[in-house]
Amino acid sequence: MFEYDKISADDYDRLRGRYEPLTDALRTLVDVGVHTDVDDATVREALVHLEAATALLQQRLREDRPVLRHADTGRPVTWGNPAVGLRNAISPPIVVEHDGDGRCWSEFTLGPVYEGPPGWVHGGVSALVLDQILGEVASDSLSKARFTGTISLRYVRGTPLGPLRAEAFVERTEGAKTFAKGYLMDADGVTVEAEGVFITPAWARDAG
Amino acid sequence: MFEYDKISADDYDRLRGRYEPLTDALRTLVDVGVHTDVDDATVREALVHLEAATALLQQRLREDRPVLRHADTGRPVTWGNPAVGLRNAISPPIVVEHDGDGRCWSEFTLGPVYEGPPGWVHGGVSALVLDQILGEVASDSLSKARFTGTISLRYVRGTPLGPLRAEAFVERTEGAKTFAKGYLMDADGVTVEAEGVFITPAWARDAG
């Protein structure tokens, strides 16, 4: 069972203003880490700065990582999430839009750190993005507890690195099972199709 | 069609010694970025160091990102890969072992930066790991060009953060299609099952 604390809109914006530039700086560094061609001495010089930054940021760490909900929207604050987390430099991030009509979509850019075969998005990264957006649409914007039961992905063609769009919608619900579908696409159309079954856990079924 | 350059074992080890500590330092920072609870002034102080490190590492960047093959093993050097890349701080990394008998396996740890629901691995991260290991086994340790056609994942139960194992094997090959299967598991057994069909692209079919 999850415990939720609320975070006010003001606190949310204040913390976002504090941490978003940090995550962006880390994303830049992850990218530079893949591409740098400097010599040993320069790497060592950079490491001194990275260790200094780590020491500063480690001065106070969150111990408990409570699950927060935004006081206005009621949606969980998934700051640490590797697909959508604004505090997780692993995430592109994907910002998922909810149109309130049982559909979600997102427009985002995947750069070289998400590359599998040369020039193409790693198939597993496409899966990560689609699992997230299908899960969000299946759980009513994460307002209900739903976990991935199965997900199937069909790679129609290669997904090029660059600007992309993902969409998802709920097909139907049967008891504890929600059936969702979605697509990853570039400017020329669909590159990956996804179908998933999301399950309401037993402990959440009474609550609807 | 890919162009491959060779890298000698000595050069590989030398560059690994240069870049692995950098990637490890960035992994630590990504984790600290999710958990830090310091104030605005301390974040700003850390940002100065991150920007200094970025400027140092950007002094020389690889422009072309050639695909390298290890001169001894013939296997591609997937340093930038988001699942297995030793130069990509997004990767845990997964080190995939090939037993030469059509099987691959890997033991690795997924920490809080890979979290979906509280305490559990993000379903999409499990998909990323399984797509990679199934793709490796289907392509004879990446020695043949094979792309994911379809992949289906069944989440048997939640995958806890911590030490995990993944395994994959080739079930059968039919023309251009290779059918692979695999598992993600914790100490208590299988948490996610995966089945994938990997396709040899038309340009690589004549080469076998």
Side-chain angles (χ1 to χ4, degrees):
Chain A
M1 191 78 73
F2 300 156
E3 299 286 328
Y4 290 108
D5 286 340
K6 279 195 180 156
I7 181 169
S8 72
D10 281 356
D11 279 349
Y12 181 92
D13 292 344
R14 187 175 53 78
L15 291 175
R16 179 175 184 149
R18 176 186 297 171
Y19 294 120
E20 206 163 36
L22 175 62
T23 317
D24 285 344
L26 291 175
R27 285 195 187 99
T28 301
L29 268 164
V30 171
D31 184 85
V32 170
V34 172
H35 296 103
T36 186
D37 200 24
V38 297
D39 60 16
D40 288 350
T42 310
V43 169
R44 280 195 297 270
E45 223 183 312
L47 279 173
V48 173
H49 284 292
L50 297 181
E51 282 154 17
T54 301
L56 283 163
L57 297 169
Q58 277 179 334
Q59 283 174 9
R60 200 167 70 199
L61 297 172
R62 293 180 300 144
E63 292 298 327
D64 50 345
R65 292 186 292 131
V67 176
L68 298 174
R69 277 182 187 273
H70 195 286
D72 294 356
T73 66
R75 286 172 55 191
V77 174
T78 50
W79 271 338
N81 185 292
V84 298
L86 76 85
R87 289 194 55 180
N88 190 335
I90 286 178
S91 79
I94 310 291
V95 178
V96 179
E97 310 286 346
H98 300 260
D99 73 359
D101 192 27
R103 289 189 160 258
C104 286
W105 58 274
S106 181
E107 289 184 350
F108 51 91
T109 294
L110 296 182
V113 297
Y114 300 105
E115 187 180 66
W120 306 103
V121 175
H122 191 295
V125 171
S126 300
L128 169 63
V129 170
L130 285 163
D131 176 77
Q132 179 69 33
I133 193 164
L134 264 68
E136 290 214 16
V137 84
S139 63
D140 269 354
S141 320
L142 304 179
S143 67
K144 292 172 183 160
R146 297 265 161 80
F147 299 104
T148 316
T150 61
I151 189 166
S152 296
L153 302 139
R154 194 166 79 86
Y155 296 81
V156 180
R157 58 186 170 88
T159 303
L161 295 176
L164 297 167
R165 180 181 169 93
E167 294 180 2
F169 60 94
V170 171
E171 250 193 342
R172 67 187 192 283
T173 301
E174 289 174 12
K177 292 186 180 176
T178 302
F179 296 79
K181 250 186 143 162
Y183 305 96
L184 185 63
M185 36 200 135
D186 66 5
D188 295 326
V190 172
T191 60
V192 187
E193 298 172 357
E195 284 188 18
V197 182
F198 294 81
I199 315 282
T200 308
W203 58 257
R205 282 177 203 172
D206 290 339
Chain B
M1 191 77 74
F2 300 157
E3 298 287 329
Y4 290 109
D5 286 340
K6 280 195 181 156
I7 180 169
S8 71
D10 280 356
D11 278 351
Y12 182 91
D13 291 344
R14 186 175 55 77
L15 291 176
R16 180 176 183 148
R18 177 187 296 170
Y19 293 121
E20 206 163 36
L22 175 63
T23 318
D24 285 343
L26 292 175
R27 285 195 187 99
T28 301
L29 267 164
V30 171
D31 183 86
V32 169
V34 171
H35 295 104
T36 186
D37 200 25
V38 297
D39 60 16
D40 288 351
T42 311
V43 168
R44 279 195 297 270
E45 224 183 312
L47 279 173
V48 173
H49 284 291
L50 297 181
E51 282 154 16
T54 300
L56 283 163
L57 297 169
Q58 276 178 334
Q59 282 173 10
R60 200 167 69 199
L61 297 172
R62 292 181 299 144
E63 291 299 326
D64 50 345
R65 293 186 292 132
V67 176
L68 298 175
R69 277 182 187 273
H70 196 285
D72 295 355
T73 66
R75 287 172 54 191
V77 174
T78 51
W79 272 337
N81 186 290
V84 297
L86 75 85
R87 289 193 55 179
N88 190 335
I90 286 177
S91 79
I94 310 291
V95 178
V96 179
E97 311 285 346
H98 301 259
D99 74 359
D101 193 29
R103 288 187 162 260
C104 286
W105 58 275
S106 180
E107 289 184 350
F108 51 90
T109 294
L110 295 181
V113 297
Y114 301 105
E115 188 179 68
W120 306 103
V121 174
H122 191 294
V125 171
S126 300
L128 169 61
V129 169
L130 285 164
D131 176 76
Q132 179 69 34
I133 193 165
L134 265 68
E136 290 215 15
V137 85
S139 63
D140 269 353
S141 320
L142 303 178
S143 67
K144 293 172 183 160
R146 297 265 161 78
F147 298 104
T148 316
T150 62
I151 189 165
S152 296
L153 303 138
R154 194 167 79 86
Y155 295 82
V156 180
R157 59 186 169 87
T159 303
L161 296 177
L164 297 167
R165 180 182 169 92
E167 295 180 2
F169 60 95
V170 171
E171 252 193 338
R172 65 186 193 283
T173 301
E174 290 174 11
K177 291 186 180 175
T178 301
F179 296 79
K181 250 186 141 160
Y183 305 97
L184 185 62
M185 27 197 144
D186 67 4
D188 295 327
V190 171
T191 61
V192 188
E193 297 172 356
E195 284 188 17
V197 183
F198 294 81
I199 315 282
T200 308
W203 57 259
R205 282 179 203 172
D206 291 337

